[in-house]
């Protein structure tokens, strides 16, 4: 018999039960507490990716603080021999998706009961400032007792973090995506309620509200298409239940349920009405059909009208002589008929005006302008190109928006224009030079870019752990946002990291012994000491690997790069001084503008920019940047000036200046 793998001498892996894009799920056994457990293990291709590992651990942190009968409980997390795992409650059952695919639409009461349980679970998450961001039927388990449990908080974000943040490539399934997520806007608890509305629609109809041949097309329909009615697929669904779905699926969050309590209240009201109808025997199979009124009353009404007509049409046996003047009562029907026809005429005009207005609106353009606000230039260009549109750029200072990101657009989102129309994009240049940008809640890479754009620089980076705040986000800064500062001023920041991490300090100018002592005090150790020709004093530190300000785990090894002095220049015979037009003049230092836009798509990339001339080289930037982000800096270099751009350790461009 093959020996089973045991993690940390406690969790025995029995067999595989499922998997997703990031991890595989196994049935396991806790040999200490003697109970079955579920074990989620990060896939091998991601174990070297710090972003994925951090996100995987964040899943455990997000869900571990939640305890609810409709949430899969998290027991433990850890790592062993490059195996990163989360231990959770073992749920025997099927996913809601599997239940629907195998059995078809659920009866109304069961669907509403499941939705009520999940809404209650989401309320607890939202009360802890956690948005799930990936509510879908595949992430809802139905156990053997018929209890719905939600799992997989792996991409949950703190309130307000935009979908185009560092982990934008891990978004909820597009079929359940809220319009604001599809548009790259900030997620809120209402985003989860929209996704739960999609799940309720699916449970009742066996269909999804929006389909498409590509994920982009489905996302676009979430943004643009009219909200479908569940009664289109099942006319027996009660109107009051269909209204709950319609409200949950409102594209404008202001028209959607404001909070979990409002959604829960309506779901509970639906449950009560379904129970009353079931007890009364009205359509017990579906608990939603209403019988028509008795036809007897209609028949009585018809007979009554016939008798009235007969009485009017039958001639009187002894007709009275015609009156000399028209009777007053006949004027009232005449005026009534006049008003009636006037109302019909006015109504017809209004309807005709509406039709003309709609035709005019649609004939003015055949392309719906997509929303690219908050997107990088690269992303915006790709989105507009798919819509057969062009664009022009205008740069503006904006201390709140990362450089290279679209602030606004003209025409605005959802306007209709002709194919090939140029959309005016207003792109952020960061903060105005000398004005301190707001770095709070920004990543360290984005904070560095904002400071560079403002002609300021990053100062001392300290670390602190704060629960509920995104890892790597700036918690505080030494200078108040919006205040004035001289160019080159350093701004110190405090960054949120996990308890087992720290930031590589800046050691430039230190002696090796002092640098070693500094690293040791921070829980780091010195590895190799490499020498390099440099203008700095011989024996002093000129750099590190990893670079300064990079977040690493405590206990990591840091390589020191030390100056071995400038190489002695070959002695040359003395010559007459060159004139201002000769070689000496051409070798004088010059100021160059270095611009670089990070290529590619997906998640953040490690970028390193090195400037060199005939005598020296120095790192202009080293850190994490999102694809489409723009780097801009003035640099003074001597003869043979060049700049090298590295992305994820690979040289992508060697540019002569």
């Amino acid at each position: 018999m093959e020996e089973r793998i045991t993690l940390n001498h406690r969790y025995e892996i029995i067999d595989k039960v499922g998997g997703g894009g990031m991890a595989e799920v196994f049935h396991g056994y806790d040999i200490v507490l003697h109970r079955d457990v579920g074990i989620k293990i990060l896939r091998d291709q991601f174990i070297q990716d710090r972003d994925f590992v951090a996100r995987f651990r964040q899943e455990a942190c997000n869900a571990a603080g939640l305890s609810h009968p409709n949430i899969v409980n998290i027991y433990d997390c850890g790592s062993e021999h490059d195996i990163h795992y989360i231990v959770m409650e073992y749920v025997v059952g099927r996913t809601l998706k599997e239940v629907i695919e195998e059995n078809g639409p659920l009866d109304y009461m069961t669907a509403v009961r499941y939705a009520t349980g999940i809404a209650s679970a989401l309320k607890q998450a939202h009360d802890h400032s956690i948005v799930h961001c990936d509510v879908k039927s595949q992430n809802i388990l139905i156990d053997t007792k018929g209890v719905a449990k939600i799992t997989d908080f792996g991409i949950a974000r703190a309130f307000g973090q935009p979908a185009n943040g560092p982990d934008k490539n891990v978004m909820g399934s597009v079929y359940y995506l809220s319009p604001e997520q599809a548009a790259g806007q900030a997620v809120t608890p209402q985003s989860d309620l929209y996704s739960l509305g999609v799940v309720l629609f699916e449970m009742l109809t066996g269909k999804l509200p929006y389909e498409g041949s590509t994920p982009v097309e489905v996302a676009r329909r979430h943004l643009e298409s009219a909200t479908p009615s569940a009664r289109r697929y099942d006319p027996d669904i009660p109107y009051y239940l269909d209204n709950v779905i319609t409200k949950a699926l409102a594209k404008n969050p202001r028209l959607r349920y404001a909070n979990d309590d409002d959604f829960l209240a309506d779901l509970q009201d639906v449950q009560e009405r379904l129970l009353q109808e079931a007890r009364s025997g009205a359509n017990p199979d579906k608990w939603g059909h209403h019988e028509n009124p008795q036809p007897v009353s209609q028949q009585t009404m018809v007979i009554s009208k016939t008798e009235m007509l007969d009485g009017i049409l039958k001639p009187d046996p002894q007709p009275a002589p015609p009156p000399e003047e028209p009777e007053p009562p006949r004027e009232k029907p005449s005026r009534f008929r006049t008003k009636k026809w006037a109302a019909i005429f006015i109504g017809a005009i209004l309807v005709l005006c509406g039709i003309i207005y709609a035709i005019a609106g649609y004939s003015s353009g055949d392309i719906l302008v997509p929303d690219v606000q908050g997107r990088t230039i690269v992303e915006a260009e790709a989105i507009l190109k798919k819509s057969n549109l062009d664009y022009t750029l205008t740069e503006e200072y904006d201390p709140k928006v990362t450089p290279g990101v679209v602030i606004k657009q003209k025409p605005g989102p959802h306007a209709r224009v002709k194919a090939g129309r140029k959309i005016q994009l207003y792109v952020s240049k960061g903060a105005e030079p000398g004005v301190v940008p707001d770095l709070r809640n920004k990543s360290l890479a984005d904070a560095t870019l904002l400071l560079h754009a403002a002609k300021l620089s990053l100062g001392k980076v300290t670390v602190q752990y704060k629960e509920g705040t995104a890892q790597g986000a700036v918690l505080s800064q030494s200078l108040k946002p919006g205040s004035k500062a001289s160019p080159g001023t350093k701004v110190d920041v405090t960054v949120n990291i996990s308890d087992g991490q720290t930031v590589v300090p800046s050691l430039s100018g230190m002696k090796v012994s002092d640098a070693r002592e500094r690293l040791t005090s921070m829980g780091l150790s010195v590895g190799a000491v490499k020498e390099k020709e440099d203008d700095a004093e011989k024996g002093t530190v000129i750099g590190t690997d990893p670079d300064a300000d990079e977040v690493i785990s405590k206990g990591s090894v840091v390589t020191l790069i030390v100056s071995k002095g400038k190489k002695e220049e070959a002695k040359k015979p003395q010559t007459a001084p060159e004139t201002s037009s000769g070689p000496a003049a051409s070798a004088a230092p010059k100021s160059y503008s270095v611009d670089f836009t990070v290529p590619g798509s997906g998640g953040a990339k490690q970028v390193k920019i090195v400037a060199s001339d005939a005598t020296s080289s120095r790192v202009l930037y080293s850190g994490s940047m999102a694809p489409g982000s723009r780097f801009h800096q003035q640099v003074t270099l001597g003869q043979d000036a060049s700049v090298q751009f590295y992305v994820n350790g690979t040289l992508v461009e060697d540019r002569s200046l």
Side-chain angles (χ1 to χ4, degrees):
M1 179 177 176
E2 187 178 348
E3 186 178 355
R4 291 174 176 170
I5 297 174
T6 303
L7 299 174
N8 284 348
H9 308 289
R10 177 171 180 175
Y11 303 112
E12 187 179 77
I13 296 177
I14 299 175
D15 55 20
K16 181 179 177 180
V17 295
M22 287 176 57
E24 296 178 303
V25 181
F26 296 84
H27 173 204
Y29 187 75
D30 184 345
I31 60 178
V32 174
L33 296 179
H34 304 289
R35 63 181 177 184
D36 289 309
V37 293
I39 304 174
K40 181 177 285 190
I41 297 179
L42 188 65
R43 292 186 182 275
D44 290 343
Q45 60 263 42
F46 299 130
I47 60 176
Q48 300 300 326
D49 190 317
R50 294 181 181 178
D51 289 340
F52 272 95
V53 173
R55 192 180 304 118
F56 187 74
R57 290 176 178 171
Q58 190 65 40
E59 175 179 350
C61 294
N62 287 341
L66 304 177
S67 179
H68 191 279
N70 297 102
I71 295 178
V72 176
N73 292 319
I74 299 296
Y75 298 144
D76 192 9
C77 67
S79 61
E80 181 181 17
H81 304 305
D82 286 334
I83 298 177
H84 300 275
Y85 64 88
I86 297 173
V87 182
M88 64 187 71
E89 174 187 1
Y90 182 61
V91 179
V92 179
R94 296 178 294 170
T95 68
L96 178 57
K97 189 73 170 181
E98 292 171 338
V99 171
I100 296 171
E101 288 177 344
E102 293 174 17
N103 303 330
L106 310 183
D107 64 75
Y108 305 155
M109 181 57 77
T110 300
V112 174
R113 177 166 58 85
Y114 287 167
T116 303
I118 299 305
S120 178
L122 291 174
K123 171 176 167 55
Q124 192 192 65
H126 298 161
D127 288 344
H128 285 75
S129 298
I130 295 172
V131 182
H132 189 285
C133 296
D134 198 19
V135 177
K136 57 185 178 182
S137 56
Q138 295 94 324
N139 283 341
I140 297 173
L141 302 176
I142 310 299
D143 68 12
T144 53
K145 297 180 181 179
V147 177
K149 294 174 176 282
I150 189 165
T151 186
D152 199 352
F153 280 78
I155 64 168
R157 298 178 178 88
F159 285 4
Q161 184 175 341
N164 63 341
D167 56 352
K168 64 184 177 182
N169 56 320
V170 187
M171 299 175 69
S173 175
V174 69
Y175 294 99
Y176 303 82
L177 208 62
S178 68
E180 55 268 27
Q181 285 174 282
Q185 298 170 356
V187 294
T188 70
Q190 287 179 291
S191 307
D192 281 350
L193 299 185
Y194 179 95
S195 300
L196 181 54
V198 176
V199 173
L200 182 55
F201 186 104
E202 183 183 16
M203 287 193 288
L204 292 169
T205 66
K207 308 284 185 181
L208 289 164
Y210 301 107
E211 299 281 359
S213 57
T214 65
V216 173
E217 184 180 349
V218 176
R220 184 174 297 166
R221 290 186 177 181
H222 277 286
L223 284 166
E224 302 169 1
S225 298
T227 303
S229 169
R231 286 175 55 85
R232 171 186 175 187
Y233 300 100
D234 181 1
D236 289 335
I237 293 176
Y239 283 105
Y240 56 81
L241 177 52
D242 191 40
N243 290 340
V244 170
I245 301 172
T246 302
K247 187 171 182 179
L249 294 180
K251 299 186 185 304
N252 187 343
R254 294 181 180 179
L255 304 177
R256 207 179 299 159
Y257 283 103
N259 51 54
D260 304 272
D261 290 328
D262 291 349
F263 198 2
L264 279 168
D266 276 6
L267 288 173
Q268 289 161 0
D269 179 65
V270 169
Q271 281 185 307
E272 292 175 5
R273 296 180 70 169
L274 289 173
L275 282 171
Q276 290 173 1
E277 292 182 14
R279 293 191 189 104
S280 67
N283 199 8
D285 292 336
K286 292 189 175 182
W287 295 6
H289 181 69
H290 294 281
E291 296 294 336
N292 291 326
Q294 293 295 329
V296 177
S297 59
Q298 294 178 3
Q299 183 179 3
T300 304
M301 185 180 295
V302 171
I303 294 172
S304 175
K305 288 181 179 179
T306 304
E307 290 173 349
M308 290 174 64
L309 289 171
D310 287 343
I312 293 171
L313 296 176
K314 285 181 180 178
D316 195 303
Q318 296 179 349
E324 297 180 359
E325 295 180 359
E327 295 180 4
R330 294 188 179 181
E331 294 179 2
K332 292 182 179 179
S334 177
R335 286 197 299 270
F336 174 76
R337 283 194 296 271
T338 302
K339 291 180 179 179
K340 179 179 178 181
W341 282 108
I344 293 173
F345 180 71
I346 293 171
I349 291 176
L350 291 174
V351 171
L352 183 60
C353 290
I355 293 172
I356 293 172
Y357 176 80
I359 292 172
Y362 275 85
S363 63
S364 63
D366 52 7
I367 301 291
L368 200 64
V369 178
D371 187 354
V372 296
Q373 296 167 132
R375 302 280 187 172
T376 64
I377 299 173
V378 173
E379 292 171 329
E381 181 180 14
I383 293 171
L384 293 173
K385 186 176 180 181
K386 286 182 180 179
S387 298
N388 199 19
L389 297 171
D390 203 350
Y391 68 95
T392 57
L393 291 179
T394 299
E395 291 188 312
E396 292 184 353
Y397 291 116
D398 192 319
K400 296 181 180 179
V401 181
T402 305
V405 172
V406 177
I407 307 168
K408 58 184 177 180
Q409 64 183 83
K410 289 184 180 180
H414 314 310
R416 286 192 173 272
V417 299
K418 290 294 184 183
R421 170 74 178 272
K422 289 188 176 182
I423 308 301
Q424 183 71 37
L425 302 182
Y426 296 84
V427 180
S428 173
K429 293 167 60 177
E432 185 179 354
V435 178
V436 179
D438 189 351
L439 308 177
R440 293 166 298 182
N441 296 319
K442 298 285 193 301
S443 68
L444 193 59
D446 285 346
T448 305
L449 281 175
L450 288 169
L451 289 171
H452 275 300
K455 305 300 182 186
L456 305 172
S457 60
L458 184 66
K460 183 179 179 182
V461 179
T462 56
V463 295
Q464 176 184 335
Y465 176 69
K466 183 178 180 182
E467 188 176 0
T469 303
Q471 185 174 314
V474 175
L475 298 174
S476 61
Q477 57 190 93
S478 59
L479 297 181
K480 185 178 179 181
S483 61
K484 292 283 186 177
S486 303
T489 300
K490 291 188 176 182
V491 180
D492 300 336
V493 297
T494 301
V495 177
N496 185 46
I497 59 173
S498 70
D499 194 36
Q501 292 182 311
T502 187
V503 172
V504 179
S506 177
L507 306 174
S508 296
M510 288 188 177
K511 294 181 178 180
V512 174
S513 57
D514 294 336
R516 191 186 302 275
E517 185 178 343
R518 176 76 185 280
L519 291 172
T520 303
S521 68
M522 299 178 65
L524 302 171
S525 58
V526 176
V529 177
K530 298 181 179 179
E531 289 188 325
K532 183 180 179 182
E533 294 174 358
D534 194 85
D535 289 336
E537 182 183 350
K538 185 176 181 180
T540 58
V541 177
I542 58 174
T544 58
D545 184 16
D547 295 310
D549 302 328
E550 188 169 333
V551 177
I552 60 175
S553 300
K554 289 182 179 178
S556 298
V557 176
V558 177
T559 299
L560 297 179
I561 303 172
V562 179
S563 171
K564 64 176 182 180
K566 188 177 179 181
K567 185 177 180 181
E568 245 183 72
E569 293 183 357
K571 293 183 180 180
K572 299 179 181 179
Q574 282 208 317
T575 58
E578 298 288 344
T579 64
S580 59
S581 60
S586 64
K590 292 182 180 179
S591 180
Y592 298 91
S593 179
V594 177
D595 291 277
F596 180 66
T597 300
V598 181
S601 59
K605 302 182 183 298
Q606 290 297 316
V607 176
K608 188 172 183 179
I609 302 174
V610 180
S612 307
D613 57 22
T615 60
S616 65
S617 65
R618 61 180 181 273
V619 176
L620 300 182
Y621 175 81
S622 178
S624 177
M625 294 178 69
S629 298
R630 182 183 176 191
F631 175 88
H632 174 80
Q633 185 175 328
Q634 292 293 126
V635 60
T636 301
L637 295 169
Q639 192 175 10
D640 299 328
S642 64
V643 60
Q644 293 78 40
F645 303 94
Y646 298 85
V647 177
N648 290 342
T650 302
L651 178 66
V652 297
E653 184 179 355
D654 189 352
R655 185 189 305 167
S656 297
L657 300 178

